[in-house]
Amino acid sequence: MTDTHLSQTRLDSLALDPRILAGLAETGFTHCTPIQAETLPIALEGHDIAGQAQTGTGKTAAFLLATMQRLLGHPAEPRDAADTICRPRALILAPTRELAVQIHKDALALGAHTGLRLGLAYGGTGYQRQRDELAAGVDILIGTPGRLIDYFKQRVFDLRGIEVVVLDEADRMFDLGFIKDIRYLLRRMPPPESRQGLLFSATLSYRVTELAYEHMNQPRLIKIETEQVTADRVRQCCYMTANEEKIPLLVGLVRGWLEGDARIMVFVNTKRAADRVWGYLQGNGVNTGVLSGDVPQKQRLRLLREFTEGSLPVLVGTDVAARGLHIPDVTHVVNFDLPEDPEDYVHRVGRTARAGAAGDAVGFVCETYAFCLPDIESFIGAKIPVEPVDPALLAAVDPGSRLRPERVRRDTRRSDERSSGDRARRPRGSETTTSTGQPSRSRRPRPAKPSPAESPASAASTDPAAAPAPQSPAPELAVTEAPRKKRRRRRRKPAANRGDGVQSPRPVEVEPVD
């Protein structure tokens, strides 16, 4: 039986390779979603596609199936044995690291029986490991623009063999400023007539459409229109709240939801606000993770894995976590800060009610971001029910219960320990080097002053009979203890002015050339 969000088109009815169908059978997919039913027949014929559909409707599987079928249906051309540089046949570009990791995970599942080699390149971690994997050779390369350009300029791989190029979440590429990097890569591939282009996004703006027509070969524009922009099964509401009531309201709502089997995502607009909300939730006994641009990449992936598995019930994040991530069973999405861009509201709300499930989206209409609500309602074409705050929902939050992010203190402590450790390991008077690599002159160690019990004066005062006659210090000690006079270098006069009989060389006269 198929779900209501699926179409009547079966995946095994399409012209797909049996090895791809085997991977689909293992993943449990049987029917196409609307965007897959519209785009796959056209893409499998070799046409370029610019597709738009709601988030969570299967766009990733659509371009992965089309890409794998293209590579399996057109075997790679033989190469010269001397040509050892990696030459991928397909390139998939994603705007964020998390989305690139997820695409790679889905590609491994769908292409388990195809024999296609997959490569992944994204910033923040694994630089040398990723470089070695690409150098060994891949068929499908998935990554973010920055790390890909870095490896490309090092000639780890080239783009002359690209047969399929995919741009996922193309509108987000513009928002993050990647469009110059995208054009840099596209211009180093074969011409649009010699490759297949697939562009997918939740929203197709005019600038994205212009990019499609500039770097694609007569793309087919496909839009899956729905009655409302947000997912059909999302129950939306807002609370009119003051700024000082937002934290107590959030803690009260989260505690009530966690009494059941809830998985909650809380969105804020800034990294500083993410740390603040995380601190209050964690300080009031709610196990929470924070996901923002300041969190190291390994920790971000670990938090996403724990949140997906259910061991971490609450995740606070910025719009880094609002695009393209497929996390099943997210029951509640809270817009702690209403986004200033209405499109971001659609992507945030799209983290719940995915793949035909139901979910709740709650927004806080506060004093700071209340002006965003009319724009959001105009964009989604619907009024969001606004409810007053019931005092029973406000939790008793101690102002001192907020925790500071441990990761910030840990990073600061590590940098301080490194700097202090370098100073401690360097002995006094040792030779150091300057920035040019030349040894620098260090000060000589000062001789230790004698203690009062060991000084000659103290000995004479204690035993006058045994007091020795004063002697002059040894010559070596006198030289060592004497302060060094700073020598002043005199400026030598030219030989012609010294009167020592040495003539200065005359300047060579050069005749002008006409």
Side-chain angles (χ1 to χ4, degrees), residues 340-404:
E340 299 182 18
D341 189 351
E343 292 185 5
D344 291 337
Y345 177 84
V346 176
H347 290 288
R348 292 179 180 184
V349 171
R351 297 312 99 202
T352 186
R354 298 180 68 86
D360 293 279
V362 177
F364 289 178
V365 185
C366 63
E367 304 166 17
T368 306
Y369 297 104
F371 68 92
C372 301
L373 182 60
D375 295 335
I376 293 173
E377 292 178 337
S378 176
F379 182 77
I380 65 177
K383 295 289 291 184
I384 303 176
V386 180
E387 302 178 3
V389 177
D390 187 353
L393 296 176
L394 300 179
V397 177
D398 182 7
S401 61
R402 177 191 172 190
L403 298 181
R404 296 185 61 187

Side-chain angles (χ1 to χ4, degrees), residues 275-276 278-279 290 402-410:
D275 289 339
R276 177 174 174 269
W278 170 87
V290 60
R402 177 191 172 190
L403 298 181
R404 296 185 61 187
E406 189 67 26
R407 56 185 174 82
V408 176
R409 295 203 300 267
R410 183 173 63 252

Side-chain angles (χ1 to χ4, degrees), residues 83-145:
D83 188 6
T84 58
I85 189 171
C86 174
R87 189 164 297 169
R89 302 174 60 193
L91 180 65
I92 301 176
L93 296 171
T96 62
R97 305 168 185 173
E98 289 76 20
L99 183 54
V101 173
Q102 179 175 301
I103 295 173
H104 182 260
K105 179 181 178 182
D106 295 341
L108 288 175
L110 295 176
H113 302 278
T114 60
L116 297 173
R117 298 169 297 174
L118 303 176
L120 180 61
Y122 60 93
T125 183
Y127 187 89
Q128 189 60 40
R129 176 181 56 81
Q130 295 176 10
R131 192 181 191 278
D132 295 339
E133 290 178 357
L134 297 188
V138 297
D139 296 312
I140 301 177
L141 178 55
I142 306 166
T144 53

Side-chain angles (χ1 to χ4, degrees), residues 90-91 93 162-167 186 189 195-199:
L91 180 65
L93 296 171
I162 293 295
E163 303 176 28
V164 183
V165 57
V166 179
L167 298 181
L186 291 175
M189 300 178 189
R195 66 171 191 258
Q196 184 178 16
L198 304 174
L199 184 149

Side-chain angles (χ1 to χ4, degrees), residues 169-457:
E169 299 290 350
D171 56 344
R172 189 62 172 166
M173 299 282 192
F174 281 93
D175 297 339
L176 297 178
F178 287 146
I179 192 58
K180 290 186 178 180
D181 298 337
I182 298 300
R183 286 194 167 99
Y184 175 88
L185 295 171
L186 291 175
R187 289 168 181 166
R188 283 150 181 82
M189 300 178 189
E193 297 79 12
S194 302
R195 66 171 191 258
Q196 184 178 16
L198 304 174
L199 184 149
F200 287 85
S201 180
T203 56
L204 285 181
S205 60
Y206 290 110
R207 54 184 183 178
V208 175
T209 306
E210 180 184 5
L211 176 68
Y213 285 111
E214 180 183 358
H215 293 281
M216 300 176 72
N217 182 27
Q218 299 180 356
R220 306 287 183 89
L221 190 61
I222 298 176
K223 294 184 178 182
I224 304 300
E225 302 289 350
T226 57
E227 295 181 359
Q228 57 184 20
V229 178
T230 56
D232 299 335
R233 299 190 178 186
V234 177
R235 297 180 293 267
Q236 304 177 64
C237 70
C238 289
Y239 287 100
M240 282 289 185
T241 174
N243 286 345
E244 61 270 13
E245 294 177 342
K246 293 174 69 176
I247 290 294
L249 178 60
L250 177 65
V251 175
L253 290 175
V254 168
R255 284 177 176 173
W257 294 335
L258 290 180
E259 291 179 358
D261 188 12
R263 192 172 302 175
I264 307 164
M265 295 189 73
V266 182
F267 286 101
V268 294
N269 289 344
T270 63
K271 294 180 286 187
R272 185 174 184 179
D275 289 339
R276 177 174 174 269
V277 173
W278 170 87
Y280 275 112
L281 289 174
Q282 194 74 21
N284 285 273
V286 179
N287 187 16
T288 310
V290 60
L291 189 67
S292 65
D294 285 344
V295 180
Q297 184 62 32
K298 289 184 178 180
Q299 185 176 350
R300 288 161 67 173
L301 296 177
R302 178 180 59 81
L303 290 174
L304 283 175
R305 183 176 64 254
E306 293 177 356
F307 185 69
T308 303
E309 295 172 352
S311 59
L312 185 68
V314 182
L315 186 64
V316 180
T318 59
D319 285 319
V320 170
R323 292 289 188 120
L325 295 182
H326 176 64
I327 303 175
D329 303 328
V330 175
T331 58
H332 297 79
V333 169
V334 179
N335 281 291
F336 186 85
D337 297 331
L338 289 180
E340 299 182 18
D341 189 351
E343 292 185 5
D344 291 337
Y345 177 84
V346 176
H347 290 288
R348 292 179 180 184
V349 171
R351 297 312 99 202
T352 186
R354 298 180 68 86
D360 293 279
V362 177
F364 289 178
V365 185
C366 63
E367 304 166 17
T368 306
Y369 297 104
F371 68 92
C372 301
L373 182 60
D375 295 335
I376 293 173
E377 292 178 337
S378 176
F379 182 77
I380 65 177
K383 295 289 291 184
I384 303 176
V386 180
E387 302 178 3
V389 177
D390 187 353
L393 296 176
L394 300 179
V397 177
D398 182 7
S401 61
R402 177 191 172 190
L403 298 181
R404 296 185 61 187
E406 189 67 26
R407 56 185 174 82
V408 176
R409 295 203 300 267
R410 183 173 63 252
D411 295 343
T412 305
R413 185 167 63 249
R414 285 178 178 176
S415 61
D416 294 340
E417 290 174 355
R418 279 197 298 268
S419 59
S420 62
D422 293 340
R423 290 193 298 267
R425 286 192 297 269
R426 187 183 303 151
R428 188 175 182 180
S430 62
E431 186 181 74
T432 58
T433 57
T434 62
S435 59
T436 59
Q438 300 295 331
S440 61
R441 180 180 299 175
S442 58
R443 291 190 292 177
R444 295 183 180 182
R446 296 180 180 179
K449 294 182 180 181
S451 60
E454 297 176 356
S455 61

